[in-house]
Amino acid sequence: MTDTTREMRFVSWNVNGLRAVMKKDPSFTEILETLDADVFAIQETKLQEGQVALDLPGYHQTWNYAERKGYSGTAVFSREEPLRVIRQIGCPVADDEGRVCALEFDRFWFVDVYTPNAQDGLKRIDVRLEWDAWYRDFLCGLAAEKPVVTCGDFNVAHNEIDLKNPGPNRGNAGFSDEERESFTKLLDAGFTDTFRLLHPDVEGAYSWWSYRMRARATNAGWRIDYFLVSNDVADRVTSASILDEVFGSDHCPVALGIEL
């Protein structure tokens, strides 16, 4: 580390429709201000350009919209202006769905991702796995330049500890063997799951709950929202948390503290 190293706070949240969250109490902007992140990433904005105007003093806004209306979409709000932004990874599938905001800063890359859902019956598993392979290669390319922090809704519970009911859900979208193995390949390519780094045995820690069957009230959830970092900076992680006290979406935010 150098004298310029400082602890940074990152937050990621799948808002499942930003316009809806903006109308709730507390509003999205109030939640963002309260969480006080250096970089705040969101997924599933479900917006087209010009549909919202956020007043976020002190933050630079980076957006990526899906071509399809009311679908997918990502955004990153950063106190520091990025040196460069990449919005597509070159993948032949799903690259027009606004799924990535990659921001280059002086000392690291920050990448916000909304991974394609394999869907019921694994109807979109081929698209999902193709995306995963391209995204893995994309991150490895960035990591060759400088450390990477990537976050978002990866749409997979990696291990049985990461969801309430692993048995009945095995083979379902988000807990299929194929998706879990694909996530393992991403970690094996040089990345660390920061929450499990600091909390390897914590059970009942989830970031998404179905709107059905009172899932959130009974904590019948899944951990599918992650912060991953390049292995070479994993020792700089100071905190990794799931902010399940924050409502407004079927997901809750996740947070990372790291010295960069």
Side-chain angles (χ1 to χ4, degrees), residues 159-201:
N159 293 310
E160 290 192 355
I161 195 175
D162 296 315
L163 72 167
K164 177 72 170 183
N165 297 304
N169 281 297
R170 183 161 184 182
N172 291 343
F175 199 59
S176 68
D177 291 348
E178 298 94 325
E179 291 165 294
R180 295 170 65 196
E181 289 167 5
S182 185
F183 193 77
T184 297
K185 288 180 182 176
L186 176 56
L187 298 181
D188 289 347
F191 300 95
T192 298
D193 175 352
T194 59
F195 185 82
R196 284 296 168 217
L197 174 70
L198 297 190
H199 312 286
D201 303 314

Side-chain angles (χ1 to χ4, degrees), residues 9 12 25 32 51 60 63 67-68 90-91 93 103 114 132 143 151 154 169 173 205-206 215 225 236-237 249-250:
R9 176 171 168 81
S12 173
D25 184 20
L32 184 146
Q51 287 189 307
H60 298 272
W63 296 83
E67 290 186 10
R68 175 178 160 190
C91 182
V93 296
L103 284 65
Y114 176 42
D132 281 357
C151 68
F154 284 80
N169 281 297
Y206 308 127
D225 301 270
R236 303 185 190 182
V237 172
S249 169
D250 52 347

